[in-house]
Amino acid sequence: MLARALIERKRDGGRITPAEWRSLMSRYAADEVPDYQMAALAMAIYFNGLDRAETVALTDAMLHSGAMLDLEHLTMARVDKHSTGGVGDKVSLVLAPLVASLGVAVPMMSGRGLGHTGGTLDKLESIPGFRTDLTLARATEQIERLGCALIGQTREIAPADRRLYALRDATATVESIPLIAASIMSKKLAEGLTALVLDVKRGSGAFLPDLDRGLALARTMIELGADHGCPVVTLLTAMDRPLGRACGNTLEVEESIMALRGDGPPDLMAVTYALGAEMLVLGGVAANRDDARRRMEVAISSGKAAAKFQQIIEAQGGDPRVLDDPSLLPQAAECELYLAVQDGVVAQVEPRAIGRGITALGGQRTKVEDGVDHSVGFVVTARPGDVVRAGEPLATVFARDRDGIALGLAALRESLRIAEEADPPLPLISHRVTEAGVELWE
Ligand code: URA
């Protein structure tokens, strides 16, 4: 009876009280509320929204539907980073070991690919043997020992969100600011963090492409953090083109290893350093962002950050030799260059078409139960604004067979547009949002 009354009230623009949210979400996590009722409620929220108090109450209700990582006893600060998702976004793979190597604990809980966007767990699982399904006890022990664990949302963490998120994916109710904010923050707060850094993507490849919606999401998550004593800093970054060159699981792990070895593409390094600087300042190990940047550069040039990644891989059952020999990662049977069809300027490298191309090649799921071919994907060397000549290589497709090559070339034709002139792409990092307000990024 409770669920029906709440759906009716939300449908008619009313409010749900904190006690009602608690009761509803704990019953949903216990399988006592059917998915069809939650789907109707999610759609009512999609259209009518939630006010601040309701968003806080929903977040709390999902957070307390499960267990939390208990890391209070650690002397180190505990800071995580979360991205709203994109194509080629392998920042977590570089950032987590880099920041952990500098003395801030990173209890990183990541997701799988969703829609056209890739997922950190799928990327990590291209490393032979790597396990992301650690229990909370094992993750805690690893964080105490190495300062970092790279895990998935276990069954114990925010089970109400886990169920609701899958339902939203199937009912076209993902793109709601209060639902996204409550979903992300319930999981992040369950990590027992002392601070959080968010990377909110904007541009055609982001879940919320518009700047205004990105800023509204950032503010909502910052408020939720503040209400729970967890300071949150958000950067808005560009997803109107892929980040870095590699797009696809193995290829992104290879690029991340290169980045940790000091040879990462400039845009990937700029976003990694900007987010890492916020983490190190919030974690109290760097005096300011310039100091943080210097420390990260030294951690990379000295090999300390790469060594930390190697330790994490070994601790989670993966083959640590991939750091020195990335050819141990699954390799595609076929590859082919994609060439410019005309002279001109690269006007667009549309990320959604690349993301859908990875799915077509078998590198991302369309259903939860699907397997993933880790070896496939793209390396896109062309950047918006590049002047190119007909016949020049712009990208490479990696596929399991010739049919895959044809699908990959078609995706690149859809994504890459060459014109006589091009509008400038979005700034790589455009805004920094904190509790104090919004600053333009210099
Ligand atoms: N990521 C999440 O964890 N939840 C959402 O709702 C959207 C992105």
Side-chain angles (χ1 to χ4, degrees), residues 120-306:
T120 299
L121 296 185
D122 297 324
K123 295 172 201 188
L124 286 167
E125 284 171 2
S126 38
I127 301 171
F130 196 98
R131 302 292 303 254
T132 57
D133 58 348
L134 307 192
T135 61
L136 289 188
R138 184 135 169 242
T140 304
E141 178 278 320
Q142 187 175 313
I143 294 162
E144 285 164 355
R145 192 160 48 84
L146 296 178
C148 183
L150 302 172
I151 60 169
Q153 179 181 8
T154 67
R155 293 197 175 279
E156 303 138 281
I157 296 276
D161 167 68
R162 194 183 162 93
R163 203 169 152 200
L164 179 57
Y165 189 46
L167 187 66
R168 285 168 54 220
D169 194 22
T171 56
T173 49
V174 169
E175 293 89 350
S176 149
I177 289 174
L179 289 179
I180 296 176
S183 165
I184 292 176
M185 292 304 288
S186 62
K187 289 179 289 238
K188 292 290 130 182
L189 293 167
E191 293 175 357
L193 302 175
T194 52
L196 172 65
V197 175
L198 293 170
D199 178 1
V200 172
K201 300 290 184 194
R202 56 183 286 230
S204 59
F207 277 118
L208 298 178
D210 298 345
L211 174 60
D212 288 351
R213 303 251 290 155
L215 285 173
L217 176 64
R219 284 197 206 93
T220 307
M221 293 196 285
I222 288 166
E223 284 170 5
L224 284 172
D227 287 336
H228 290 86
C230 176
V232 178
V233 173
T234 303
L235 301 184
L236 265 83
T237 71
M239 191 35 72
D240 57 341
R241 69 267 188 191
L243 184 63
R245 302 183 189 112
C247 304
N249 298 305
T250 284
L251 299 164
E252 293 191 43
V253 173
E254 281 173 7
E255 190 165 84
S256 303
I257 292 171
M258 282 167 63
L260 284 165
R261 294 239 173 268
D263 201 14
D267 59 344
L268 172 64
M269 296 319 295
V271 173
T272 303
Y273 283 142
L275 294 165
E278 301 292 352
M279 292 172 80
L280 293 173
V281 172
L282 284 167
V285 305
N288 53 46
R289 303 209 294 264
D290 289 337
D291 175 34
R293 165 93 188 217
R294 276 190 295 276
R295 286 170 193 261
M296 288 186 283
E297 284 170 352
V298 172
I300 287 189
S301 62
S302 64
K304 195 167 144 181

Side-chain angles (χ1 to χ4, degrees), residues 37-61:
Q37 287 192 309
M38 279 315 273
L41 183 63
M43 193 56 89
I45 295 170
Y46 180 91
F47 284 115
N48 289 329
L50 297 179
D51 69 17
R52 177 169 176 175
E54 285 182 290
T55 311
V56 172
L58 171 60
T59 308
D60 276 338

